[in-house]
Amino acid sequence: MQQGDGQETEVTWDDQQNINKFGRLNNKFHELEDEIKAKKDMADNLEDAGNELILTDEEEIRYLIGEVFSHIPKDDVETRLEALKEENEEELRQLEEEKKVVLAQMADLKKILYSKFKDSINLEEE
Amino acid sequence: MAEVTSASERRGIPAAPFVHDVQTFLNKSNYDASTALAALQDRLQQYKLAEMKLLAQRRDLQAKIPDIRKCVEIVGTLLAKKGTGEAMKVDFELAEGIYSRATIPEADSVCLWLGANVMLEYTCEEAMSLLQNNLENATGSLKATIEDMQFLRDQVTVTEVTIARVYNFDVHQRRKLRNQPKEEEAS
């Protein structure tokens, strides 16, 4: 993290805890990115399914429940899709919100740590 | 203040001791810098090993939870049909890529595969509560595993920082030693 011949700066327990916190947040950030990506893919898929549903003439749609395709009237499928979309959007919104909080906390910690350790510490991704 | 601060342990993972002052730490432990570094690297490796185990655990749980969700979904559908007298028409997979059609009459019970070659018949309500319970347990263990991983992550960070500090300290010591003879010559 800070190898090399930098200035010798005393690292206190508080500093260490800040570094830990930063590491944790950074991890969290990457996990959130992954989850957000999955939710966005899901949103696309739901959107596609919705469009296909509009185009089809069939009255009964095969809809995947668990491991089997259940024959369900078109209207019901529409309702289910809408519910899924809403749920997905809500979850996506929450994740984006969480990401914002994490990024803000990381920015704060960066300020604190850089002001103390200068170039002896590197908090950027390679 | 003591030279090292250690925050006990969590589920068998010992906490990494935090070194307050490198010089005092080396004096107390009777290590020279390179032995101390070797010991710290060793500890780091052990943490990495534990991390791999936890990662595998998390992966398993993350795969298991959607499976349970699927079960909850289908039992929920059966429950919803109950009392309507309607049969459920489904296409189901016989083998990979081969489907057949089935009609499931209004069902009171389902058979749950419990593992270890045991299958038990439950009423839909009982099956539902069992599955919900499983889901809760799995979500709970996933949460605990993630917390363990965070704790472990902290210990890895502490150890990495300590390694960097001992290393820096050693570099400074060597530089001081190298400069000393010159100063003597000058005087």
Side-chain angles (χ1 to χ4, degrees):
Chain A
M1 191 164 275
Q2 45 182 127
Q3 289 190 354
D5 62 352
Q7 289 309 103
E8 197 152 7
T9 316
E10 201 203 342
V11 181
T12 66
W13 179 230
D14 278 349
D15 297 328
Q16 178 69 68
Q17 275 173 319
N18 276 335
I19 296 171
N20 287 357
K21 216 165 142 198
F22 186 85
R24 268 209 302 263
L25 286 168
N26 194 37
N27 253 358
K28 178 98 193 154
F29 171 72
H30 285 289
E31 278 167 19
L32 283 172
E33 290 264 273
D34 287 349
E35 280 180 62
I36 287 172
K37 193 179 172 304
K39 292 276 175 230
K40 280 188 173 155
D41 288 349
M42 183 66 173
D44 285 346
N45 287 340
L46 289 172
E47 195 62 43
D48 286 351
N51 290 338
E52 289 296 323
L53 203 58
I54 295 167
L55 291 174
T56 185
D57 298 327
E58 301 220 21
E59 278 312 304
E60 271 198 341
I61 309 291
R62 259 134 265 179
Y63 183 87
L64 185 66
I65 304 176
E67 302 263 324
V68 298
F69 294 93
S70 183
H71 296 228
I72 290 179
K74 196 174 166 181
D75 293 350
D76 275 8
V77 175
E78 253 167 49
T79 330
R80 280 172 186 254
L81 267 184
E82 279 311 311
L84 278 183
K85 259 192 219 170
E86 252 168 59
E87 194 188 326
N88 196 59
E89 263 164 42
E90 173 61 21
E91 281 166 358
L92 184 59
R93 216 182 45 74
Q94 273 176 12
L95 289 173
E96 299 270 16
E97 192 61 37
E98 231 176 297
K99 183 174 142 188
K100 232 188 271 169
V101 174
V102 166
L103 280 178
Q105 284 177 323
M106 278 170 78
D108 284 349
L109 282 172
K110 265 190 193 177
K111 243 182 264 162
I112 297 172
L113 289 169
Y114 274 136
S115 74
K116 167 139 191 202
F117 294 106
K118 308 279 183 306
D119 345 329
S120 305
I121 194 165
N122 179 17
L123 301 171
E124 310 305 325
E125 303 276 350
E126 271 101 67
Chain B
M1 206 197 294
E3 279 67 45
V4 287
T5 302
S6 138
S8 70
E9 52 112 37
R10 185 190 159 86
R11 290 221 279 189
I13 310 167
F18 175 73
V19 173
H20 288 282
D21 180 70
V22 179
Q23 179 71 74
T24 344
F25 163 68
L26 289 178
N27 288 348
K28 277 253 165 129
S29 55
N30 245 339
Y31 280 159
D32 60 24
S34 61
T35 355
L37 281 174
L40 287 163
Q41 290 287 4
D42 206 37
R43 183 175 263 275
L44 194 58
Q45 284 315 312
Q46 281 167 3
Y47 282 139
K48 296 269 177 191
L49 206 68
E51 193 176 26
M52 303 249 276
K53 274 189 204 153
L54 285 175
L55 268 169
Q57 241 179 58
R58 187 180 70 169
R59 233 191 345 260
D60 287 349
L61 285 167
Q62 276 172 336
K64 200 168 144 199
I65 288 171
D67 278 349
I68 305 176
R69 283 230 172 85
K70 275 188 198 166
C71 296
V72 169
E73 224 185 314
I74 194 73
V75 175
T77 313
L78 288 173
L79 270 174
K81 285 268 178 195
K82 235 175 124 175
T84 62
E86 262 175 70
M88 197 163 81
K89 229 198 296 172
V90 299
D91 292 350
F92 68 100
E93 201 169 36
L94 289 170
E96 184 126 8
I98 304 174
Y99 288 81
S100 185
R101 190 151 301 171
T103 308
I104 303 173
E106 194 188 332
D108 279 327
S109 61
V110 284
C111 298
L112 288 192
W113 183 260
L114 298 179
N117 284 330
V118 179
M119 186 156 75
L120 257 186
E121 188 172 0
Y122 288 89
T123 67
C124 288
E125 286 85 355
E126 278 172 345
M128 192 60 158
S129 72
L130 186 76
L131 287 169
Q132 297 275 22
N133 201 7
N134 283 357
L135 186 60
E136 248 167 63
N137 285 344
T139 324
S141 342
L142 180 62
K143 206 175 147 236
T145 309
I146 288 172
E147 277 165 13
D148 286 353
M149 286 179 73
Q150 280 181 341
F151 175 79
L152 193 58
R153 198 65 242 161
D154 276 3
Q155 309 322 308
V156 168
T157 313
V158 171
T159 312
E160 280 172 350
V161 169
T162 311
I163 288 173
R165 288 169 60 209
V166 173
Y167 180 86
N168 279 352
F169 174 83
D170 191 37
V171 169
H172 278 269
Q173 288 302 100
R174 280 169 203 274
R175 195 174 299 151
K176 256 189 239 160
L177 275 178
R178 232 183 306 133
N179 290 339
Q180 246 159 19
K182 283 184 204 150
E183 280 160 21
E184 273 163 30
E185 272 170 42
S187 58

